[in-house]
Amino acid sequence: MTPFRSFSKSSSFTTMRMVMNSHKNGTTTPLFKRFHTTSSSSKQSTTLFTTAALTLTATTTAAALYILPENENDNTYSFLPSNSKTLCELKKRKSSDVLMLSPTKEPATGKLFPQLCNGMTFVGCGVRVKYAFVKVYAVGTYVDPITMSVLKKSSPTEIQKALCDPMYPRTIRIVMNRGLSIEKFTAAIIETLEPRMKGVDLDKLEEFKKLNPPIDLIQGAEIEMTIRGDTMLYKNCVGGVGAIHSKAFCEALCDTYYGADDPVSPGHLKDVIAGIQKLK
């Protein structure tokens, strides 16, 4: 089996693409598409790339890695750079070692929420109920685990107050449980936002309307609202994206879903607080 090497340099990192001959028919099979490693004169042990099937760890001091099959029978390979100061091992995982991130099912609607969304971690979900029995949509929250981990030992009241602060990044993901006209959906959101905005930046409500195409929502349609400070990034039901820049708008949106008084889904808020307390 022939070793392969392909890499390109920049001032801050080295990008390496590594491939290896397959055991069958002499075809070339990619082990992974690409990864980055920071060039450094000092040794640093780092997990460079992990997939469901493969894990690569290395002590990195060089810019180039050679792929040298060590033993075809035990599926273990050694990786050496041109200066021979880096040693890596790649071992094929057994099927029993593969870790899967299963989605969470919202109990009342059965809608699924993946563990990751927009680079953030799922912490809880709930259902929006109208007229005491109509389950309109499932709603879930994703947070930055590093930012929120400082709150995991806090009381539920302290966490709830932090959730009302848009400076804590989060994504609100909505999955429709029934069909609904886009006019009714946007009207309901605006109805909850307007009194919370207290007369500030009310023109942003019209901007919000325009972010939604004139297409009725169907069951299973998804909407994402990512809040970062005074910016709300919006992904509508057909995948179109836009943004609203307003501190008043973002604060009102946070209060709508996480406020102590009449949140959109009390069960969602309770589940999110419990999820933040469980962050690792």
Side-chain angles (χ1 to χ4, degrees):
M1 295 175 65
T2 307
F4 288 78
R5 179 183 67 171
S6 177
F7 62 92
S8 60
K9 294 183 179 180
S10 75
S11 59
S12 60
F13 60 83
T14 300
T15 300
M16 283 167 281
R17 186 183 303 273
M18 303 195 298
V19 295
M20 177 174 287
N21 282 348
S22 169
H23 294 309
K24 295 182 180 180
N25 302 322
T27 58
T28 299
T29 303
L31 294 181
F32 14 81
K33 290 184 177 179
R34 190 167 68 175
F35 65 86
H36 302 291
T37 179
T38 301
S39 297
S40 174
S41 59
S42 60
K43 292 185 178 181
Q44 183 179 2
S45 182
T46 311
T47 298
L48 297 178
F49 196 94
T50 302
T51 68
L54 302 165
T55 298
L56 174 65
T57 59
T59 301
T60 305
T61 59
L65 295 177
Y66 288 92
I67 300 181
L68 301 173
E70 184 179 87
N71 189 315
E72 293 187 9
N73 295 322
D74 64 9
N75 293 317
T76 301
Y77 305 96
S78 294
F79 298 78
L80 293 172
S82 56
N83 64 4
S84 300
K85 292 182 180 179
T86 299
L87 176 63
C88 311
E89 277 195 352
L90 176 65
K91 293 186 178 181
K92 186 175 181 180
R93 289 184 179 179
K94 299 177 181 179
S95 59
S96 59
D97 294 334
V98 176
L99 300 176
M100 300 297 291
L101 297 176
S102 300
T104 297
K105 180 185 291 187
E106 196 288 310
T109 62
K111 301 304 179 185
L112 299 178
F113 288 85
Q115 294 304 305
L116 298 174
C117 179
N118 298 332
M120 300 191 196
T121 300
F122 175 82
V123 287
C125 60
V127 60
R128 168 59 167 165
V129 178
K130 195 73 173 176
Y131 309 120
F133 64 90
V134 179
K135 301 169 185 175
V136 183
Y137 60 76
V139 55
T141 290
Y142 297 78
V143 302
D144 177 356
I146 297 176
T147 302
M148 280 296 185
S149 63
V150 300
L151 297 168
K152 63 183 180 181
K153 294 183 179 180
S154 302
S155 69
T157 300
E158 291 172 325
I159 295 174
Q160 181 270 320
K161 288 182 179 179
L163 287 167
C164 288
D165 184 351
M167 295 306 294
Y168 289 93
R170 89 288 308 271
T171 289
I172 301 168
R173 181 172 180 265
I174 291 172
V175 184
M176 299 303 298
N177 190 53
R178 61 191 300 272
L180 188 69
S181 71
I182 193 63
E183 290 81 8
K184 287 184 178 180
F185 175 80
T186 54
I189 296 291
I190 290 172
E191 182 182 351
T192 63
L193 292 177
E194 186 171 2
R196 290 173 164 90
M197 293 175 69
K198 301 176 181 178
V200 179
D201 288 347
L202 294 181
D203 58 307
K204 300 299 180 181
L205 299 176
E206 189 63 29
E207 286 187 27
F208 175 73
K209 282 185 181 181
K210 294 178 180 178
L211 292 177
N212 296 279
I215 300 173
D216 289 344
L217 300 172
I218 62 173
Q219 183 177 5
E222 300 176 8
I223 292 171
E224 295 172 6
M225 297 178 284
T226 300
I227 302 170
R228 294 179 182 274
D230 63 356
T231 300
M232 189 274 285
L233 302 176
Y234 189 75
K235 182 178 179 181
N236 63 35
C237 64
V238 296
V241 295
I244 290 178
H245 303 281
S246 167
K247 181 180 179 181
F249 184 95
C250 292
E251 287 179 342
L253 189 59
C254 288
D255 190 67
T256 296
Y257 284 93
Y258 310 103
D261 298 326
D262 194 28
V264 161
S265 172
H268 164 251
L269 176 57
K270 182 179 179 180
D271 201 44
V272 168
I273 291 173
I276 290 173
Q277 291 176 321
K278 296 175 184 176
L279 285 173
K280 296 181 180 179

